[in-house]
Amino acid sequence: MNETILLVEDEDGLVTYLRSELGFEGYQVVVAQDGQTAWETYQAQAEQIDLILLDWMLPRLDGLEVMRRIRKLSQVPIIMMTARDYVGDKVAGLDNGADDYITKPFEIEELLARIRVNLRHHDAPAKKQLSCGDTLLDTKAHQVTRNGETTQLTQREFDLLQTLMQHAGQPMTRDELLDQVWGPEFDGQVNIVDVYIRYLRNKIEHPSLPPLIQTVRGVGYEIGGKA
């Protein structure tokens, strides 16, 4: 294993602990202890960084602003780490580009599992393009176009849509989507699937267009047949 993780955290004790644990697992760790340094570090080392662990409350620039800037350049996986556990804060983090979210204090085993899942999904090989009706998903460019309009998705939203399109015409249960998108190690609530379906619909559904994602009552979700 030689993945590089950018650890953005201002608590010295947590930095020391995470650097040790991540190093023990074989990860290379680059540390930034304020938001401005994190942004400058990412700009300088973007090609080497495979995942970012990003604290919310940081000196100079907060985590949300760092994430917004990075998302203009890259879809590198970002896991937010924060003591904020309100639903509204989680939604704000996810809406601004976070792929995952972990609330302090956390067990290191859970964090390591989330890192593995996000790295695996980011690196997974796939067909370059998938199409369903008026929707085109380009895995290489990480873009989704519907009816000629391009929409920006977070990595998790992109993975969920890609999974549904890969199984076009086939209803998928929430458990199947959890397993394929979040990974078998995910131990959160199954309704996270419904939350992300809502995110996708808000971004790619339009009143003037036919619905793309269908709810299959008693089963889960489905995208129509391939074009």
Side-chain angles (χ1 to χ4, degrees):
M1 183 185 301
N2 56 5
E3 291 97 338
T4 297
I5 294 175
L6 173 58
L7 172 60
V8 187
E9 171 59 58
D10 63 334
E11 295 180 25
D12 291 336
L14 187 55
V15 167
T16 300
Y17 173 69
L18 290 178
R19 194 196 325 240
S20 174
E21 292 293 330
L22 293 170
F24 183 77
E25 294 294 322
Y27 297 107
Q28 302 295 318
V29 181
V30 177
V31 174
Q33 292 193 263
D34 65 74
Q36 183 63 37
T37 300
W39 170 233
E40 293 170 357
T41 300
Y42 184 76
Q43 288 179 291
Q45 302 183 42
E47 293 185 0
Q48 289 76 46
I49 293 171
D50 299 293
L51 182 141
I52 300 174
L53 295 177
L54 179 62
D55 188 28
W56 185 309
M57 302 299 293
L58 293 166
R60 301 178 73 189
L61 289 177
D62 66 31
L64 281 183
E65 179 58 28
V66 173
M67 184 162 56
R68 291 189 191 106
R69 295 187 183 190
I70 290 174
R71 279 292 174 252
K72 292 179 180 179
L73 303 177
S74 169
Q75 291 298 321
V76 61
I78 298 176
I79 300 176
M80 291 289 289
M81 304 184 302
T82 177
R84 295 172 178 255
D85 60 357
Y86 297 109
V87 172
D89 290 332
K90 294 180 181 180
V91 170
L94 295 167
D95 280 348
N96 280 278
D99 297 290
D100 209 345
Y101 198 106
I102 190 165
T103 303
K104 301 176 184 176
F106 49 79
E107 296 294 333
I108 189 63
E109 291 80 7
E110 179 184 0
L111 178 62
L112 292 172
R114 290 174 183 269
I115 289 172
R116 290 193 295 270
V117 168
N118 279 277
L119 287 172
R120 183 167 66 244
H121 287 161
H122 188 71
D123 294 336
K127 293 181 180 179
K128 291 183 179 180
Q129 291 189 340
L130 296 170
S131 64
C132 291
D134 60 1
T135 304
L136 178 67
L137 183 145
D138 188 321
T139 60
K140 184 175 182 180
H142 200 277
Q143 288 184 344
V144 175
T145 303
R146 184 164 195 213
N147 200 36
E149 181 179 344
T150 299
T151 301
Q152 296 299 319
L153 302 179
T154 67
Q155 185 66 49
R156 189 76 74 189
E157 293 165 349
F158 189 89
D159 290 343
L160 178 57
L161 182 59
Q162 180 177 346
T163 299
L164 287 167
M165 291 179 70
Q166 287 171 334
H167 297 83
Q170 172 188 337
M172 299 194 71
T173 68
R174 291 169 177 82
D175 286 338
E176 288 172 334
L177 290 168
L178 268 180
D179 187 58
Q180 294 197 36
V181 178
W182 280 262
E185 296 160 320
F186 180 76
D187 60 357
Q189 297 182 349
V190 70
N191 66 359
I192 192 69
V193 174
D194 303 310
V195 172
Y196 272 84
I197 289 291
R198 185 171 70 249
Y199 291 162
L200 276 177
R201 283 173 167 164
N202 288 340
K203 290 186 176 183
I204 63 178
E205 303 281 13
H206 301 281
S208 61
L209 298 174
L212 178 65
I213 303 172
Q214 305 287 341
T215 299
V216 182
R217 190 175 299 276
V219 179
Y221 298 98
E222 175 186 7
I223 279 182
K226 295 181 179 180

